Amino acid sequence: MPYLCGVVNPKSSEVDRHYSPIVASRLDILFAAGDWDALVAYLGTLSNAHFRTAGYIIGERLLPAAAPEVFWEVMLRLTSWQPKAFTVTMAKAAVPRLRAGTLSLDDAGYARLARALSAPGRVIDREKLLRQWLPAVAMPESVERLFDSLHVGDPRRRIAFLVREESLAAGFVLLRTLRFEEHDRALLVRTCRELMRRGTSRAFNLASIVRAFFGLEEVGGVFSLQLEPYEFARVDTDFAIFVRVVCKV
């Protein structure tokens, strides 16, 4: 099966090419016609090298400018046809558009994609999307929607994803999600220490909040962050307060 994410063809040491005028011309015609069955058929005729080039052209040149309904339809078609080849490529193409607001998890096309990804055999694909898209969504409700739509409901699984993320929205949802596991002190301590190991000021401030919030005196370290009583009372319910506290210098 062809691969899109490498730089060198493992079978021939040929350097991947990100552009071919012949391939690009054919893809332009197919996108203009909106003929996705023909797109899949065309991709199936390509050599390994041209297949990878086509993937780059789609992800780097065509999808960034495509209408949202086109983006999601192409992603649905290609990730259903060749998930190993296209899932990460399509997910990466979505990241700048999610950040810019030109794609939304509220789009009807995304809902269709999420339904297709709900099959038991698509767990790995769903996790690939989560790893790419969690840093790209700016609001806590979008983080929650991403987890819900990709069928990650277990708090412990959510925590495993969130503890690695630097975004403010992910940090806020992490704190809220830990409330569902506050009976598991070992998990709380481990999460706090993982945040500290990340080494950034934001992660350390979040670790300080988790330590204070759950009374984790056994977590050692120098914690200089001070919370006002009103901040402590609302840090897990008011995103604006959370942001102000975590971003303190």
Side-chain angles (χ1 to χ4, degrees), residues 130-131 133-135 137 139-147 152-180 191 194-195 198 202-203 206 210 242:
L130 275 167
R131 284 192 288 271
W133 290 352
L134 275 174
V137 293
M139 298 303 293
E141 53 267 29
S142 297
V143 174
E144 297 277 7
R145 179 165 176 74
L146 187 58
F147 278 126
V152 180
D154 178 64
R156 299 177 74 89
R157 286 191 64 212
R158 292 189 177 196
I159 290 166
F161 281 104
L162 292 166
V163 73
R164 298 178 297 198
E165 299 299 329
E166 184 73 4
S167 79
L168 292 164
F172 184 69
V173 176
L174 173 62
L175 181 61
R176 290 172 62 89
T177 305
L178 287 170
R179 292 293 300 268
F180 293 99
T191 301
E194 286 182 35
L195 291 169
R198 274 183 18 208
R202 185 181 294 178
L206 180 52
V210 171
F242 174 86

Side-chain angles (χ1 to χ4, degrees), residues 98-116:
L98 288 168
R99 285 183 170 144
T102 60
L103 286 179
S104 170
L105 300 180
D106 294 322
D107 292 339
Y110 175 70
R112 290 193 295 274
L113 174 66
R115 285 195 295 271

